[in-house]
Amino acid sequence: MNFDQLSSLTPDNGAIQTLKDLLIATNFIDEDLERFFTLRQNVHNGDKLGWVGDMEDVGWAGSGCNPTYKDVATKFAEKEWKIGDWQIPLKWCYTDLINTIAEYCLKTGTEIGDLSSTDYMDDIVYPALDLAVKHMMWRFIWFGDTEAKNTGSSGQITDGVNIELFKTNDGFWKQLFAVCTENEGQKTTIAANSETTYASQKSKIREAGVAIGIFEDMFDNADSRIAALDGAGVFATKSLCDALTKDLKREYKLILTWEQVFKGLDVTEFDGRMIYRVSIWDRFIEKYQNNGTKLNLPHRAVFGSPKQLFVGTPANNRISDLDIWSERKERVNYLYSTGKLGCLIGEDNLFQVAY
């Protein structure tokens, strides 16, 4: 909530009586981040992420004494971490709250400028900030792009949105798209994404057989090892999951039962695989990748395991501590936090992506 919105809430208009009655309405839900990646702590820029692959074939015809000994190789692979910086510098002045409902929670006298330990900070700012930081993590991890540009500059970020919100690191979507560019067999094309209007993007994904065909194509073309990985499943936008639900009901009279894992994340099972409906992706795409006529790839899905999606940070926690203080000289309240973050996909061929 910004100050313009807050200023409309006054005791005189009867909207609310106290700040504790002020409910922060939000369309964003706090999803559990670590269902979607594996966290690696104490990771620094330039460090290597390595793993051991398969050994070459062994076992030749023959027996008896004095066999011929052969050299065999074991495959090794590694990728390099690229860790970027992020920061949260914020400030508040008590005069911004004058003539709003928040004025009634200000301290009195000389301490009026100190917002710490007030209802405004405790009940409005801190809860909102906690949610905003979680959204920041979602944005970096899945939608980060060190080369982000606005749509007016031939990029994908909505005009008017600050591209610095995305430049800390390259997120999983950018890396997965690069994997599919290198190996087109790992991509399942969603034709509805190529439509030129919001309405047609929405209607085409709901046509008979489309959603079912997308999921079946993903399963048919995916590396057979994916299904056996720990935590493997299809993580998909709400738009695609809802289309699948309608398609199965229409074509086969099959009703998918979605179970809420926690608020904002639902899970079901289709064709023996777990399907996760990730609604925050839809909201981010609509907000951040919208050129005013259509959305950038509004329907997406990843068939893989969180054990192959790595998030690295030099810290021992994924979120740094918040430094909050009131500056007596300036009579301004400040908040600052900073940290480092990077993302890496493990074995490229252990993903099947639809977009």
Side-chain angles (χ1 to χ4, degrees):
M1 173 171 288
N2 59 38
F3 291 121
D4 290 336
Q5 293 171 308
L6 191 63
S7 64
S8 67
L9 300 173
T10 67
D12 296 332
N13 67 17
I16 55 175
Q17 296 303 314
T18 68
L19 279 176
K20 291 189 180 295
D21 296 326
L22 179 59
L23 302 178
I24 301 177
T26 175
N27 291 322
F28 292 95
I29 302 302
D30 172 20
E31 275 106 348
D32 182 0
L33 288 170
E34 293 189 32
R35 284 183 179 268
F36 300 88
F37 64 78
T38 297
L39 180 65
R40 289 290 181 92
Q41 299 174 345
N42 300 312
V43 172
H44 301 86
N45 193 52
D47 286 353
K48 306 294 185 182
L49 174 69
W51 59 90
V52 179
D54 297 330
M55 179 180 285
E56 291 180 343
D57 293 335
V58 298
W60 296 269
S63 64
C65 299
N66 297 317
T68 300
Y69 289 89
K70 304 177 184 295
D71 295 322
V72 295
T74 300
K75 296 178 181 178
F76 294 90
E78 67 178 16
K79 291 186 176 182
E80 183 175 308
W81 283 101
K82 294 182 180 179
I83 305 293
D85 298 284
W86 57 265
Q87 63 174 340
I88 304 174
L90 303 175
K91 66 177 181 178
W92 298 266
C93 179
Y94 80 95
T95 57
D96 294 318
L97 307 182
I98 301 299
N99 297 323
T100 76
I101 187 63
E103 180 179 358
Y104 294 83
C105 75
L106 294 176
K107 296 176 182 179
T108 58
T110 303
E111 298 300 314
I112 190 172
D114 183 5
L115 297 180
S116 62
S117 301
T118 62
D119 286 344
Y120 175 70
M121 295 300 288
D122 294 344
D123 297 338
I124 298 178
V125 173
Y126 293 163
L129 178 64
D130 178 67
L131 192 59
V133 170
K134 290 180 174 65
H135 294 158
M136 176 191 77
M137 296 300 295
W138 271 101
R139 193 176 66 246
F140 290 159
I141 291 170
W142 282 99
F143 292 85
D145 184 353
T146 56
E147 299 176 328
K149 297 179 181 178
N150 293 114
T151 55
S153 300
S154 301
Q156 300 296 344
I157 305 302
T158 306
D159 280 343
V161 172
N162 191 335
I163 58 175
E164 296 302 321
L165 292 170
F166 303 88
K167 287 192 171 185
T168 288
N169 63 287
D170 287 332
F172 290 140
W173 281 123
K174 183 175 180 179
Q175 295 184 42
L176 287 167
F177 295 155
V179 168
C180 292
T181 298
E182 290 293 322
N183 185 0
E184 294 184 0
Q186 289 179 245
K187 175 185 176 181
T188 294
T189 299
I190 299 179
N193 283 333
S194 299
E195 295 294 320
T196 57
T197 66
Y198 304 127
S200 57
Q201 285 180 321
K202 184 176 181 179
S203 63
K204 289 296 183 180
I205 197 66
R206 295 184 177 185
E207 290 184 351
V210 170
I212 294 174
I214 290 168
F215 279 85
E216 290 181 341
D217 186 84
M218 290 183 70
F219 298 147
D220 289 345
N221 291 292
D223 190 302
S224 60
R225 295 172 294 172
I226 295 177
L229 295 174
D230 185 23
V234 177
F235 302 90
T237 56
K238 182 178 183 295
S239 65
L240 184 54
C241 289
D242 289 351
L244 177 65
T245 301
K246 296 178 185 297
D247 211 10
L248 288 171
K249 182 178 180 181
R250 175 178 54 232
E251 297 299 306
Y252 301 112
K253 311 303 180 186
L254 175 64
I255 298 177
L256 286 183
T257 301
W258 291 92
E259 178 183 353
Q260 188 179 74
V261 178
F262 44 80
K263 192 173 183 181
L265 177 69
D266 306 318
V267 63
T268 191
E269 186 174 334
F270 169 61
D271 200 19
R273 281 88 167 183
M274 302 305 296
I275 311 294
Y276 294 89
R277 183 164 56 188
V278 190
S279 59
I280 197 169
W281 288 349
D282 300 72
R283 296 191 293 273
F284 274 25
I285 292 168
E286 183 173 358
K287 180 179 181 180
Y288 297 130
Q289 299 193 350
N290 186 338
N291 71 2
T293 302
K294 65 176 184 177
L295 303 178
N296 177 47
L297 307 176
H299 319 299
R300 309 180 187 185
V302 181
F303 182 31
S305 168
K307 301 301 181 183
Q308 290 288 326
L309 295 169
F310 299 96
V311 173
T313 173
N316 292 324
N317 297 290
R318 65 175 181 264
I319 300 292
S320 299
D321 291 334
L322 298 175
D323 190 5
I324 305 171
W325 73 99
S326 177
E327 181 59 61
R328 290 184 176 276
K329 179 180 179 181
E330 300 174 6
R331 298 297 169 184
V332 176
N333 300 265
Y334 294 94
L335 179 148
Y336 186 77
S337 183
T338 187
K340 296 176 180 290
L341 186 79
C343 298
L344 268 185
I345 288 175
E347 296 182 68
D348 290 351
N349 54 358
L350 293 182
F351 291 95
Q352 190 72 22
V353 189
Y355 59 94

